[in-house]
Amino acid sequence: MPSRLLPPSGPARPLAAAQLVNSLGDGAYLVTSALYFSRIVGLSPTRIGLGLTLAWAVGAVAGVPLGRLADRRGPRTVAVLLAAATGASVAAFLFVRGFLPFVLAACCYATAQTGLAAARQALLAALVDRRDRTHVLAHLQATLNAGLAIGAAFGGVALHYGTRTAYLSVFALDAAAFLLCALVLLRLPTVPPRPAAPGKGPRIAVLRDRPYALVTFLNTLLLLRMPLISLAIPLWTVTRTNAPGWLVSALLVLNTGAVMLFQVRTASAVRDLPSAVRTVARGGVLMLASCAVFALSSAGAPAWVAVAVLLLAGGLQVAGEMMQSSGAWQIGFDLAPADQQGEYQGFFGMGVPLARMLGPLLLTALVIDWGVPGWLLLGLLFLGAGLALGPAVRWAERSNSRVLTVS
């Protein structure tokens, strides 16, 4: 286990430590936040959903300018400031008593989170050799899952007590975790800022990079796997199958544990853009197979059959997820100009808040309302996006070659 969680020595170690620290807090936050805002603050589920949708919409827009700021001011400096800002925004939730303050605090949280993700990617790109980035990111993903699992256990304790003090302790823990994350990032070497080249291209170049925009769009479709495992699969399990309710937790443990154990091994197959494209395509095939198997678990099957089918589908799903993640990391880095990694990673990272914002509505309509046909359409969407990334990446490579030739 340690060899799978610990990246190679050097800058990757503090990056992993920072990831572990803030994921511990986030794990506790994720399992308690919705109930805190509804039971303690008194917001309706509709208002919570609306506020979070607005917040992630703002966060998606903020990622690019904050990533550009990381390029121009230095990614370590910006990452430290944004980690501290994330902690401050979580601390602001301690004082939220109504809908408007909730929306404002959530917007600050989502903005700081997306900016921090872009700055940390730019920091990794500057400190880690190009051929090692996907391998290091796989370690960070395994570390993230380990931290989320442990943090979720702390959150479960707060849920058990269910008091205001218990919930506030979780938010205080998450805020402190991000402040500690900022201190850990300070241990990394300073990365000098990259000034913009005079007279070259638009102010924000990524907004006119159409091949990279297409790659980002296709990756956003693949990222619908995030609300799939956190929302659609639990709802499907309890409303459309005869499986026992505890299986929802088992499927989440299966997903988290598999990523911890096998993400690094899966990423070892990715070394360059061609291998990344192949890995994403294979992940699309597995996601289609997973969706087809999930469809077989519908209410007509006995409980024990439903359990077996759902566990098989969950295994296929997490295998496809790990392949898609590994390939996407390589693609996102390799197609970005070296002096604009923050800006480009901010744009590429927009897929995460967009998937969080739009995914719940789309997936509940497909899976819960349409049932078996919806599962098959979703699987074809994953397969189509995975296969389409190949031509999109080749277009981006040709475009980059023309730019370099002209320059």
Side-chain angles (χ1 to χ4, degrees):
M1 174 67 73
S3 64
R4 291 189 177 98
L5 293 181
L6 288 177
S9 59
R13 290 279 175 92
L15 284 170
Q19 182 82 290
L20 178 62
V21 166
N22 75 246
S23 64
L24 287 170
D26 268 353
Y29 168 83
L30 289 172
V31 300
T32 58
S33 57
L35 290 176
Y36 168 76
F37 293 128
S38 62
R39 293 178 178 177
I40 306 301
V41 179
L43 299 177
S44 68
T46 302
R47 285 197 159 195
I48 294 172
L50 175 61
L52 292 176
T53 298
L54 292 172
W56 287 115
V58 172
V61 173
V64 173
L66 288 175
R68 180 180 174 84
L69 181 66
D71 291 329
R72 301 297 167 248
R73 300 299 180 186
R76 192 196 73 164
T77 300
V78 174
V80 169
L81 292 175
L82 288 173
T86 306
S89 63
V90 172
F93 287 130
L94 296 169
F95 308 100
V96 165
R97 299 294 183 270
F99 178 65
L100 183 57
F102 163 69
V103 172
L104 293 176
C107 286
C108 292
Y109 173 78
T111 298
Q113 276 274 48
T114 53
L116 175 60
R120 287 209 291 203
Q121 293 289 79
L123 186 57
L124 186 150
L127 296 176
V128 177
D129 190 87
R130 177 176 176 173
R131 66 177 181 274
D132 296 326
R133 290 171 188 166
T134 295
H135 183 71
V136 169
L137 275 168
H139 279 286
L140 296 184
Q141 187 69 19
T143 303
L144 171 68
N145 276 263
L148 289 176
I150 298 170
F154 285 117
V157 175
L159 291 177
H160 172 73
Y161 287 101
T163 64
R164 182 183 188 88
T165 301
Y167 283 110
L168 294 183
S169 298
V170 168
F171 282 81
L173 170 67
D174 196 21
F178 275 101
L179 294 179
L180 182 56
C181 170
L183 295 176
V184 173
L185 291 174
L186 276 174
R187 295 176 53 199
L188 289 164
T190 301
V191 177
R194 294 177 177 268
K200 289 186 66 175
R203 178 175 171 78
I204 300 182
V206 71
L207 298 182
R208 294 190 183 179
D209 192 334
R210 289 182 294 172
Y212 199 85
L214 176 58
V215 169
T216 299
F217 169 72
L218 293 172
N219 184 60
T220 301
L221 295 180
L222 298 178
L223 286 171
L224 290 173
R225 62 180 181 267
M226 297 171 60
L228 178 66
I229 187 64
S230 63
L231 177 69
I233 291 175
L235 287 176
W236 171 264
T237 301
V238 299
T239 63
R240 300 294 295 272
T241 79
N242 292 323
W246 56 260
L247 192 66
V248 171
S249 176
L251 289 170
L252 290 173
V253 171
L254 170 65
N255 184 276
T256 303
V259 172
M260 287 170 56
L261 294 173
F262 301 114
Q263 181 68 78
V264 174
R265 183 180 300 176
T266 303
S268 64
V270 179
R271 301 170 302 280
D272 48 27
L273 282 174
S275 60
V277 167
R278 288 194 300 271
T279 301
V280 171
R282 290 167 184 164
V285 173
L286 287 178
M287 291 298 292
L288 172 60
S290 171
C291 289
V293 176
F294 271 119
L296 295 176
S297 66
S298 58
W304 70 271
V305 174
V307 169
V309 170
L310 287 168
L311 288 174
L312 173 60
L316 291 169
Q317 187 273 332
V318 71
E321 171 190 332
M322 290 188 291
M323 286 186 175
Q324 290 178 343
S325 296
S326 300
W329 295 330
Q330 187 82 27
I331 290 168
F333 275 123
D334 282 6
L335 294 180
D339 62 341
Q340 295 173 305
Q341 281 288 352
E343 179 181 323
Y344 271 67
Q345 295 309 315
F347 187 78
F348 196 70
M350 285 174 58
V352 173
L354 287 175
R356 287 176 171 173
M357 182 175 64
L358 302 176
L361 179 62
L362 175 62
L363 293 183
T364 52
L366 276 176
V367 171
I368 307 304
D369 295 341
W370 286 15
V372 172
W375 274 114
L376 297 178
L377 282 173
L378 181 61
L380 290 172
L381 177 66
F382 283 127
L383 177 64
L387 294 177
L389 260 179
V393 167
R394 288 190 286 274
W395 180 27
E397 286 185 289
R398 291 194 301 270
S399 178
N400 288 345
S401 297
R402 286 195 298 268
V403 170
L404 292 174
T405 300
V406 171
S407 301

